[in-house]
Amino acid sequence: MAEISIRGLQKSYRKKEKGTMQEIPILKKIDLDIHDGEFMVLVGPSGCGKSTLLRCIAGLEDITGGELSLDGRRINDVAPKDRDVAMVFQSYALYPHWTVRDNMGFSLSIRKVAKEEIDAKVEEAARMLELSHLLDRFPKELSGGQRQRVAIGRAIVRKPKVFLFDEPLSNLDANLRAQMRLELKKLHQTLGVTMIYVTHDQIEAMTLADRICVLEGGYARQVDPPLTIYDRPVSRFVAEFIGSPPMNFLTVTKKNATLCGEGVSLTLNEPQQKLSLPQRMILGVRPHHLSLQGQGDASVKATVDVIETVGWDLHLHCLCDGKPIIAQVEAAKAKGVKPGDTIGFYVDPAEIRLFDESSEDALLGEQP
Ligand code: ADP
């Protein structure tokens, strides 16, 4: 069992500003429950407080307010080594003059575990991570991916209740990142333990998480499974952060059952027409929900600016009354389309999101 409960967690740093000490709030009353065996990803832009939250859970930072508990036990003041959590850092943090075997067994040797037991646990972890043939090498004799696997192996041998990962793949090149991402997912399936993973990479968040917590400026904005975050973002910020290419936003005005403005002329479906909506809103539409069609009764009219060939699909960078949007369309369906063309897209009204113009919160909620 390893359930983490975070209640009203606050963290601030003291900083000297204009000659006086100021409290700078970093985490602002975060509530988050992480279930037993769950892969929870903390995601958000740089500086939003992800690492600070992870470090508070690890005990590497004191918390300023709130409650932190693991399996019902309050751990606010418990020392990091007694929390039964293991952290894997972006920088690997391996001892350069020790072999892989010694690096992996370190936490057990300081606990005076018998040598045979350490060897058995290190070898088991090494097998799991395909490191068995590298146990007598030194870190400098390993590739970046192998070093990160050693860092993960060092966490595994401790058999912690919770694994904490702080951007563990950031130092790897794109191919290796994708490979290690898959290995981490497999590792989670094999071990079935609670993992909390910090990243600013929304692809990692989408592919790894059971649930994602999106942070913005020290607030937890949405905590949901990846597809709920993708399909039902609670705000423009979440909608823009998750999904690549990002969601398009156009300002529209409601006239009876139709949304108009910035190249848009879209009739709401019947359930949407019954909702009480403001007169002006921000319309959000994902790039793959823009389907090419004739201009006749197009939902969105745009002028093609730049075409990016991706492979099976294309990214059409267009302008709608001067506002940039991206459409992701099947290459075969966009034959003959060239920069400067005026084109029309069909958008299924069931796929749109609407956001309040000033608060930027989602308006439709459980939109039909
Ligand atoms: P993230 O991981 O989301 O990029 P961090 O949690 O590392 O963000 O940092 C959040 C904010 O807290 C940043 O503005 C950072 O400058 C600030 N911060 C982090 N650690 C300290 C510290 N030890 N002292 C003062 N400010 C800090």
Side-chain angles (χ1 to χ4, degrees):
M1 270 287 283
E3 272 178 8
I4 291 184
S5 159
I6 297 167
R7 287 283 167 276
L9 190 138
Q10 298 179 64
K11 172 72 190 171
S12 46
Y13 289 109
R14 286 173 72 74
K15 207 171 171 185
K16 202 166 192 176
E17 260 180 20
K18 293 179 193 140
T20 53
M21 288 307 274
Q22 302 274 345
E23 287 276 324
I24 313 287
I26 305 293
L27 300 177
K28 299 160 187 168
K29 294 207 171 177
I30 292 193
D31 289 328
L32 182 63
D33 285 307
I34 300 160
H35 307 142
D36 184 37
E38 186 169 41
F39 201 126
M40 171 66 77
V41 175
L42 309 177
V43 74
S46 183
C48 69
K50 309 176 292 290
S51 294
T52 304
L53 178 54
L54 197 74
R55 292 171 64 82
C56 286
I57 297 169
L60 302 173
E61 302 282 353
D62 291 333
I63 67 178
T64 314
E67 294 289 324
L68 196 58
S69 53
L70 174 58
D71 287 342
R73 178 178 100 153
R74 186 175 186 272
I75 55 166
N76 285 28
D77 307 313
V78 173
K81 67 178 180 33
D82 300 322
R83 290 194 182 194
D84 220 352
V85 302
M87 185 134 161
V88 177
F89 298 92
Q90 176 182 346
S91 60
Y92 320 133
L94 301 177
Y95 295 102
H97 305 300
W98 291 6
T99 61
V100 168
R101 183 187 301 278
D102 291 342
N103 266 288
M104 282 172 64
F106 171 66
S107 64
L108 300 181
S109 54
I110 55 168
R111 277 159 209 229
K112 308 265 184 283
V113 175
K115 186 176 176 313
E116 299 72 48
E117 195 183 328
I118 298 177
D119 283 347
K121 285 191 167 152
V122 166
E123 276 158 30
E124 185 195 344
R127 256 196 312 280
M128 211 182 283
L129 295 163
E130 294 176 23
L131 289 170
S132 304
H133 59 299
L134 302 173
L135 281 174
D136 296 316
R137 290 214 191 159
F138 291 93
K140 67 172 188 298
E141 299 168 324
L142 304 177
S143 68
Q146 288 166 338
R147 280 181 218 175
Q148 191 50 284
R149 265 189 260 150
V150 176
I152 295 167
R154 187 177 47 186
I156 291 176
V157 297
R158 289 179 53 191
K159 290 222 160 54
K161 280 189 167 181
V162 183
F163 282 79
L164 306 175
F165 294 97
D166 192 359
E167 307 235 13
L169 308 186
S170 296
N171 287 344
L172 307 178
D173 66 43
N175 284 343
L176 205 51
R177 273 180 90 116
Q179 186 190 329
M180 284 295 291
R181 204 169 69 204
L182 203 66
E183 286 184 23
L184 277 170
K185 195 158 177 113
K186 266 200 249 171
L187 186 71
H188 180 249
Q189 283 170 11
T190 309
L191 299 174
V193 296
T194 310
M195 293 186 173
I196 310 177
Y197 188 102
V198 161
T199 183
H200 63 271
D201 180 332
Q202 49 103 7
I203 305 278
E204 271 176 32
M206 288 295 286
T207 51
L208 285 169
D210 291 320
R211 282 191 307 153
I212 296 175
C213 169
V214 183
L215 290 156
E216 180 194 10
Y219 291 100
R221 294 295 190 199
Q222 186 167 7
V223 186
D224 270 316
L227 281 181
T228 309
I229 301 251
Y230 186 80
D231 291 332
R232 299 268 176 268
V234 297
S235 66
R236 176 179 173 156
F237 172 82
V238 175
E240 202 161 16
F241 195 76
I242 300 287
S244 173
M247 187 181 269
N248 298 298
F249 301 99
L250 295 165
T251 307
V252 292
T253 307
K254 183 171 173 287
K255 288 195 185 120
N256 300 319
T258 306
L259 302 179
C260 309
E262 299 200 315
V264 178
S265 173
L266 185 141
T267 306
L268 296 169
N269 62 25
E270 268 184 40
Q272 289 168 341
Q273 289 175 27
K274 293 190 182 122
L275 299 166
S276 134
L277 293 167
Q279 229 211 328
R280 270 168 68 89
M281 291 162 277
I282 300 167
L283 166 73
V285 56
R286 295 246 176 239
H288 66 275
H289 286 139
L290 289 157
S291 347
L292 271 175
Q293 69 151 51
Q295 287 181 53
D297 48 359
S299 328
V300 178
K301 272 190 205 161
T303 308
V304 181
D305 188 18
V306 179
I307 303 176
E308 274 185 315
T309 306
V310 186
W312 180 83
D313 58 355
L314 293 176
H315 294 172
L316 298 177
H317 294 257
C318 303
L319 295 169
C320 288
D321 273 355
K323 188 78 115 6
I325 64 160
I326 305 176
Q328 190 173 14
V329 298
E330 211 179 308
K333 290 191 179 152
K335 278 200 183 114
V337 175
K338 52 187 191 312
D341 286 356
T342 301
I343 52 174
F345 295 105
Y346 168 74
V347 176
D348 180 350
E351 304 294 358
I352 64 167
R353 305 306 300 160
L354 292 173
F355 303 94
D356 185 273
E357 205 188 5
S358 54
S359 72
E360 302 197 334
D361 288 341
L363 283 169
L364 293 180
E366 289 303 306
Q367 174 208 319

